[in-house]
């Protein structure tokens, strides 16, 4: 198991470095050897998203959900996938996925921040502010949430709060 964790961390590092082709190749190899590890499907979905391979990312996330429907972060990433293509139907799907992610794991800040961004997009600024605050409560170092919170306050003229 320790070797697997080392291999996964290596792929995460390669992904973060921007070498998405290599990260994709290595992730696929790890999935072949470890087809029941949901984190790998989530990671490969992120890699596909980074390469704008949206359909492949969606399929990857869906496979991950079949393996472990309680893995909250994968729903957050599905929400991001739908939110990037802002149709009315996709906005609703994104909102539902963010909420599902939050319901499964209230300790991850990203779905709160992303739900806030969705509400901000829908001009539901007060709801957005609540979401950003929840994200910051969970992780005070999440810079995106601080930035988004400040921008939301500016948009409603609350400059001191911003």
């Amino acid at each position: 198991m320790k070797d697997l964790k080392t291999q996964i961390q290596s792929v995460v590092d390669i992904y973060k470095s921007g070498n998405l082709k290599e990260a994709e190749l290595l992730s696929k190899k790890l999935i072949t050897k470890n087809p029941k590890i949901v984190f790998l499907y989530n990671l490969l979905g992120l890699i596909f998203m980074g390469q704008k391979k949206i359909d492949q990312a969606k399929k990857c996330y869906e496979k991950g959900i079949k393996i472990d429907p309680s893995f909250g972060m994968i729903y957050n990433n599905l929400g991001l996938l739908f939110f990037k293509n802002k149709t009315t139907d996709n906005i609703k799907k994104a909102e539902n996925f963010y909420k599902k992610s939050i319901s499964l794991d209230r300790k991850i800040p990203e779905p709160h921040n992303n739900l806030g961004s969705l509400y901000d997009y829908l001009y539901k600024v007060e709801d957005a502010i609540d979401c950003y605050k929840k994200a910051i409560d969970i992780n005070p170092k999440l810079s995106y949430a601080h930035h988004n919170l400040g921008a939301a306050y500016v948009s409603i003229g609350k400059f001191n709060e911003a």
Side-chain angles (χ1 to χ4, degrees), residues 60-125:
C60 213
Y61 293 141
E62 289 169 348
K63 284 181 188 176
I65 288 171
K66 285 180 183 173
I67 292 166
D68 183 359
S70 67
F71 188 74
M73 192 54 127
I74 211 162
Y75 294 95
N76 175 69
N77 293 336
L78 257 172
L80 285 171
L81 183 146
F82 283 102
F83 190 56
K84 287 184 186 293
N85 183 15
K86 295 176 181 77
T87 65
T88 302
D89 189 43
N90 283 351
I91 295 288
K92 191 66 185 163
K93 286 179 183 177
E95 180 181 17
N96 289 336
F97 282 125
Y98 294 147
K99 287 180 176 180
K100 176 74 171 181
S101 179
I102 291 166
S103 75
L104 290 170
D105 189 348
R106 295 192 177 280
K107 294 183 179 172
I108 49 177
E110 290 84 0
H112 292 280
N113 181 63
N114 295 335
L115 184 59
S117 294
L118 184 145
Y119 288 148
D120 210 9
Y121 174 77
L122 296 174
Y123 304 105
K124 297 179 177 181
V125 181

Side-chain angles (χ1 to χ4, degrees), residues 5 15 19-20 25-26 31 46 52 72 83 85 102 112 115 117 125 129 134 142 146 149 161:
K5 285 184 180 181
Y15 162 71
N19 189 345
L20 301 179
L25 180 68
L26 294 172
I31 287 173
L46 290 169
K52 308 220 183 318
F83 190 56
N85 183 15
I102 291 166
H112 292 280
L115 184 59
S117 294
V125 181
I129 288 170
K134 286 177 187 167
L142 188 65
H146 286 281
L149 179 60
E161 288 87 343

Side-chain angles (χ1 to χ4, degrees), residues 12 32 36 47 49 66 78 88 95 124 130 136 151:
V12 169
T32 299
K36 298 291 184 194
I47 293 165
M49 287 287 291
K66 285 180 183 173
L78 257 172
T88 302
E95 180 181 17
K124 297 179 177 181
D130 288 342
I136 292 167

